[in-house]
Amino acid sequence: MFEYDPVLYSRILTGLTLAVHTIFSTLGVGVPLLIALAEWIGIKRNDEHYHLLARRWARGYIITVAVGVVTGTAIALQLSLLWPNFMQVAGQTISFPLFLETFAFFFEAIFLGIYLYTWDRFKNKMYHLLLLIPAALGATASGFFITTVNSFMNAPLGFTYENGVLSNINPIAAMFNPATPTKVSHVLSSAYLTSAFVLAAIAAFAILRGRDHVYHKKALHLSMVVAFVFAIVTALVGDLSGKYLANYQPEKLAAAEWHFETMEEASLILGGILTEDNEVKYALEIPYALSILAHGTPGAEVIGLEEYPEEDWPPLVVHYMFDLMVAIGMGLALISFIYIVMKKKKSWNPLNKPLLSLIVAGGPLAMLAIEAGWFFTEEGRQPWIIRGVMRTAEGATTSQHVDIMLYLFAALYVILIVSAVTVLIRTFRANPVEKELKKRGIE
Amino acid sequence: MSYEVIGITVLWTFLYGYLIVASIDFGAGFFNYYASVTGKGHVVQKVINRYLSPVWEVTNVFLIFFYVGLVGFFPSLAYYYGTALLVPGSIAIILIALRGSYYAFHHYGNKGRLGYQLLYGATGLLIPASLSIVLTISEGGYIKLNGTSVSLDYGALFTSFYSWAVVLLAVVSVLYISACFLTFYAHKAGDEGAFRILRKYALFWSTPTILASFLVFWSMSDHNSEHFAKMLDVSWLFALSFLFFVGAVYFIWKKKRLGLSFIFVMLQFATAFYGYGAAHLPYLLYPHVTIYDSFTNDTMAITLIISFVAGLCLLVPSLYLLMRLFLFDNEYVQGKK
């Protein structure tokens, strides 16, 4: 396909592994919160439907956790196998959060194991719910720690690097770099949003198929409310992320917006295509919006790509990923808002077909937005592996076999995803809610 | 104790932890499949699953811990091993991935699929074989250094008697450790049928384990005589290991004190493993890398040690809770909960 180049193949393989891992780790961070909410409501209202909801969500969740764990193991080890030079530097500066991430993961693994096997073991149901808190905290904490590692690669801090020698290392400063606050909050809130939408999509799908048990409506309502809350949070944090970029990584923002000339009153570009001599065509321009996104005032100056030598430009294709992420994010906020308004008005029916279909589409779209967002942030950091410090090519392995490994892993991921989806569908089809409600004597 | 020695001790302990918990898990997968095809599946599977289900995720963490600790304490080592191990490392990852997910698919999804069980059982033996390559190449002689480029000499690796002896030891000791543990667990569960079968497995695998250990010793004297000489300096540890082995097998044979017997198994491997490790020092990759020239900066070392202690304060009680609920709770073990 291409001429063999370990750097290119290492990039593709890392991207592939992360793209797969992101699907499962996003659910891994977000779903425990929804399970905990369902169980809590179940206890508070003494409503068996919510208990069953928590139980069934947990049952599907464990399958996704398994794939998340193994792809996470893969990316952890691949970091050293594919980027040995990078890891040598990273080991000196950011192994602290990596180490803490493992602790958080350990904590989660222990309590998730206990939670899943003690459904009917405690007389007081509160004890069982309490077990989920460390599991959910562990999931969130590992999301937090690993995101600080990625933040470091975008905004390296806490060391000096001269002629290949690292000195003055400060692990805490490296961890709490300028990118950390916005990045971590955006990752966490979008994970909750996406998980909620995925679960809502499942419930909406069941209702669309004509299954009218109140259980599905409760599931839909709970997940849509959570989705709405986190859609708002994600949008607000997204705005802060734009301001972070304008201040610390202006070339990434400029590449995302095809913003070549530094100017005041800059406009935001939606869609469009780029000609060979970097002219934007067929795009929708919103005046002043980029200045507002970057600095909060319509007159603010926004740095353009021209300030940077061309070899330091991120690939300009990130514009599409950025647009896709923002568009889907806005769409999800709108869908959940409409649902909530229709639910509040007694005379309106939130379970109408068009809205339910939109919710069903929202699940996979949310996941697509997560992928687009990650591709935007990672591609937008090119050509650096550690921005301003180490070029991607300097970090890669020199091994001659990365191409074969890429094909092997691609086959593995296809097998894993197909099997996971088949197993999930089979498990739930063989044991629908209506049947389980009867079996458990709830009705 | 210097930071370097603390660092490597911490890592070695994680690796030992992984050796024990992963062996139980890997061996269980094999016995699970073997019992199925010999028609005894229904007898032993209940015991195996009651133990494995709540803990399989935890097993993986030990490996990641070891790896992350290695990168943290000895970042240059990540460079040498990372470059050399691309192929065997990737194969191990793929096997671990297949195994972990198919355990979950089999257990939570489609119960009883023989194909899933085969995959789960076979990978259980291939993973220890592929992971043991890391220990093999640490003895030196299999890595080519050419200026700054590092590569693995597959010819030397596959034709070496020593490397095959290590693979053999890894596989048979996995089966031995696992069978000993499951014997103890079945006994605790009061499951007479499973106990009888598993005890047979344990006794069967004890002989090859001890023979393979001697084989590794013997081939080591040939492959890396410096390391072998240092191992002789701590030969009392290996003698002790042998005594623990005899004790463990004795109790299993006599069908009594099975808890103590499994502690002996753990001590048998602990003494041999730490003896081997101590004699390997100061080299991490003989003769290119020592614990001193690959160590991280002092600030990171202190930070990691502090976070390690803090983490343990959180982990030990949680692990204790896990064991209380699933290992030392007789009602759970006997299937009443």
Side-chain angles (χ1 to χ4, degrees):
Chain A
M1 200 167 18
F2 315 102
E3 196 181 330
Y4 180 75
D5 169 17
V7 181
L8 179 64
Y9 279 98
S10 294
R11 285 184 59 193
I12 300 175
L13 179 49
T14 311
L16 179 67
T17 304
L18 279 170
V20 176
H21 181 60
T22 301
I23 299 174
F24 296 93
S25 58
T26 300
L27 295 174
V29 170
V31 174
L33 177 81
L34 281 124
I35 299 177
L37 277 174
E39 234 201 315
W40 184 57
I41 297 175
I43 294 171
K44 224 178 52 172
R45 299 193 192 155
N46 200 14
D47 185 336
E48 284 294 334
H49 290 149
Y50 283 98
H51 281 299
L52 186 61
L53 187 59
R55 234 182 154 110
R56 287 174 68 88
W57 277 348
R59 209 178 294 151
Y61 174 68
I62 186 67
I63 305 273
T64 62
V65 167
V67 185
V69 169
V70 299
T71 50
T73 309
I75 190 62
L77 298 173
Q78 273 178 359
L79 279 179
S80 284
L81 297 175
L82 298 174
W83 308 98
N85 293 301
F86 161 69
M87 279 314 266
Q88 204 171 359
V89 175
Q92 301 263 358
T93 43
I94 43 164
S95 48
F96 177 53
L98 277 176
F99 204 63
L100 292 182
E101 200 248 342
T102 325
F103 269 117
F105 171 40
F106 208 149
F107 204 53
E108 180 198 347
I110 291 174
F111 281 95
L112 193 63
I114 300 179
Y115 178 79
L116 290 170
Y117 285 89
T118 50
W119 278 98
D120 300 312
R121 214 164 148 177
F122 303 107
K123 278 216 179 66
N124 185 346
K125 283 186 172 154
M126 247 354 220
Y127 289 152
H128 189 239
L129 174 62
L130 285 177
L131 287 170
L132 196 57
I133 292 172
L137 275 181
T140 301
S142 62
F144 169 81
F145 289 124
I146 205 64
T147 310
T148 67
V149 173
N150 183 271
S151 306
F152 169 86
M153 292 158 79
N154 280 282
L157 207 75
F159 68 103
T160 42
Y161 187 67
E162 266 165 33
N163 308 321
V165 181
L166 282 163
S167 50
N168 296 325
I169 285 148
N170 181 348
I172 307 292
M175 194 170 143
F176 294 98
N177 56 69
T180 296
T182 45
K183 202 157 220 163
V184 166
S185 38
H186 199 62
V187 163
L188 294 179
S189 67
S190 60
Y192 296 131
L193 165 63
T194 303
S195 305
F197 245 101
V198 168
L199 296 175
I202 296 171
F205 185 71
I207 300 173
L208 268 183
R209 293 296 281 281
R211 295 163 60 188
D212 57 356
H213 197 282
V214 63
Y215 168 94
H216 301 296
K217 289 166 197 160
K218 287 177 178 172
L220 180 72
H221 185 66
L222 171 59
S223 37
M224 282 314 281
V225 170
V226 174
F228 176 69
V229 171
F230 284 103
I232 301 301
V233 176
T234 307
L236 291 175
V237 177
D239 179 61
L240 290 176
S241 306
K243 296 186 168 44
Y244 155 78
L245 284 181
N247 283 318
Y248 291 93
Q249 278 180 286
E251 77 279 17
K252 194 193 252 185
L253 186 66
E257 277 307 317
W258 289 341
H259 182 67
F260 295 98
E261 282 169 47
T262 300
M263 60 165 94
E264 293 168 1
E265 303 179 353
S267 44
L268 192 79
I269 293 173
L270 288 181
I273 56 162
L274 199 64
T275 61
E276 275 184 20
D277 35 329
N278 287 341
E279 264 183 70
V280 184
K281 274 190 181 165
Y282 315 117
L284 184 68
E285 274 190 46
I286 309 176
Y288 309 111
L290 184 59
S291 287
I292 297 176
L293 175 69
H295 300 289
T297 51
E301 184 185 79
V302 183
I303 296 172
L305 272 176
E306 62 178 10
E307 312 281 335
Y308 295 87
E310 208 156 324
E311 72 257 25
D312 286 354
W313 286 13
L316 295 171
V317 57
V318 293
H319 173 71
Y320 302 110
M321 298 157 193
F322 182 76
D323 276 9
L324 190 63
M325 168 185 79
V326 174
I328 295 178
M330 294 295 170
L332 296 179
L334 191 65
I335 296 172
S336 52
F337 178 69
I338 295 174
Y339 169 85
I340 291 197
V341 170
M342 298 197 96
K343 183 86 186 170
K344 280 262 178 286
K345 288 265 183 187
K346 285 269 181 302
S347 53
W348 291 353
N349 173 24
L351 302 177
N352 61 65
K353 263 200 175 147
L355 184 58
L356 284 177
S357 312
L358 281 176
I359 296 174
V360 171
L365 280 177
M367 207 47 101
L368 184 65
I370 294 271
E371 296 285 354
W374 271 115
F375 271 98
F376 157 62
T377 193
E378 295 302 276
E379 287 273 299
R381 171 163 52 88
Q382 295 306 319
W384 304 102
I385 191 163
I386 305 176
R387 180 182 176 264
V389 178
M390 184 187 260
R391 298 248 180 200
T392 305
E394 295 170 69
T397 181
T398 46
S399 174
Q400 288 308 305
H401 307 288
V402 191
D403 50 349
I404 307 164
M405 296 305 117
L406 172 64
Y407 305 135
L408 275 180
F409 274 102
L412 171 74
Y413 299 142
V414 171
I415 294 172
L416 285 187
I417 291 179
V418 171
S419 313
V421 172
T422 326
V423 167
L424 280 172
I425 292 177
R426 259 198 215 139
T427 312
F428 286 98
R429 202 167 269 169
N431 190 16
V433 183
E434 293 77 6
K435 198 169 133 194
E436 202 175 351
L437 283 165
K438 283 207 187 76
K439 205 175 76 192
R440 303 191 68 82
I442 295 169
E443 53 205 55
Chain B
M1 230 192 322
S2 67
Y3 290 146
E4 288 88 346
V5 176
I6 296 179
I8 195 68
T9 309
V10 168
L11 292 181
W12 206 240
T13 305
F14 278 132
L15 199 57
Y16 171 72
Y18 183 66
L19 179 106
I20 298 294
V21 289
S23 291
I24 295 175
D25 188 342
F26 293 150
F30 176 78
F31 293 131
N32 188 51
Y33 176 71
Y34 180 75
S36 274
V37 291
T38 52
K40 291 169 188 153
H42 56 285
V43 189
V44 294
Q45 269 163 11
K46 217 167 62 193
V47 169
I48 291 178
N49 282 331
R50 280 200 90 71
Y51 166 74
L52 278 187
S53 314
V55 302
W56 69 271
E57 250 194 290
V58 175
T59 308
N60 237 334
V61 188
F62 275 95
L63 177 66
I64 298 293
F65 244 126
F66 169 72
Y67 159 75
V68 171
L70 194 70
V71 174
F73 281 112
F74 304 99
S76 325
L77 205 64
Y79 168 74
Y80 284 100
Y81 280 116
T83 312
L85 287 174
L86 178 69
V87 176
S90 298
I91 291 172
I93 299 171
I94 290 174
L95 292 171
I96 290 174
L98 284 174
R99 183 186 158 76
S101 34
Y102 276 86
Y103 175 74
F105 297 162
H106 160 66
H107 191 72
Y108 303 99
N110 309 315
K111 284 194 183 20
R113 298 204 140 206
L114 203 60
Y116 285 12
Q117 289 178 37
L118 172 64
L119 197 65
Y120 172 62
T123 47
L125 297 187
L126 294 172
I127 294 168
S130 63
L131 287 180
S132 65
I133 291 181
V134 182
L135 284 184
T136 309
I137 67 169
S138 76
E139 291 300 329
Y142 306 107
I143 279 191
K144 279 191 281 197
L145 284 188
N146 201 343
T148 55
S149 88
V150 184
S151 62
L152 187 57
D153 185 345
Y154 289 97
L157 186 68
F158 286 116
T159 56
S160 149
F161 184 64
Y162 174 71
S163 68
W164 288 109
V166 172
V167 168
L168 184 70
L169 177 62
V171 173
V172 293
S173 43
V174 158
L175 295 172
Y176 167 70
I177 294 174
S178 184
C180 290
F181 175 80
L182 293 171
T183 306
F184 153 71
Y185 202 71
H187 181 71
K188 229 172 122 65
D191 189 336
E192 194 51 39
F195 173 70
R196 234 179 299 134
I197 297 170
L198 291 163
R199 174 174 166 270
K200 229 181 279 168
Y201 295 163
L203 292 174
F204 177 83
W205 288 106
S206 63
T207 320
T209 302
I210 209 71
L211 289 180
S213 315
F214 282 116
L215 199 64
V216 167
F217 249 101
W218 181 62
S219 54
M220 166 89 83
S221 69
D222 191 42
H223 182 78
N224 183 344
S225 50
E226 190 183 335
H227 188 185
F228 183 72
K230 280 206 222 145
M231 274 166 68
L232 288 183
D233 292 344
V234 288
S235 54
W236 60 274
L237 275 172
F238 297 98
L240 208 56
S241 172
F242 185 71
L243 287 180
F244 284 129
F245 167 77
V246 172
V249 175
Y250 173 79
F251 283 129
I252 293 176
W253 180 257
K254 287 282 173 192
K255 300 186 191 173
K256 56 181 188 186
R257 322 225 27 201
L258 291 157
L260 184 67
S261 149
F262 188 69
I263 291 177
F264 278 180
V265 171
M266 293 208 292
L267 288 171
Q268 174 199 338
F269 281 88
T271 42
F273 193 69
Y274 281 92
Y276 166 86
H280 202 293
L281 290 181
Y283 293 106
L284 289 175
L285 175 58
Y286 182 86
H288 308 294
V289 190
T290 70
I291 55 170
Y292 301 103
D293 54 30
S294 64
F295 200 60
T296 187
N297 58 83
D298 280 3
T299 325
M300 188 51 94
I302 297 166
T303 318
L304 286 182
I305 291 170
I306 294 173
S307 62
F308 174 67
V309 172
L312 276 190
C313 295
L314 205 67
L315 276 188
V316 171
S318 326
L319 274 175
Y320 174 74
L321 181 66
L322 186 74
M323 294 211 276
R324 260 301 291 277
L325 287 170
F326 299 108
L327 201 55
F328 300 122
D329 184 321
N330 277 329
E331 286 196 15
Y332 172 81
V333 177
Q334 289 163 8
K336 289 179 193 149
K337 271 187 183 171

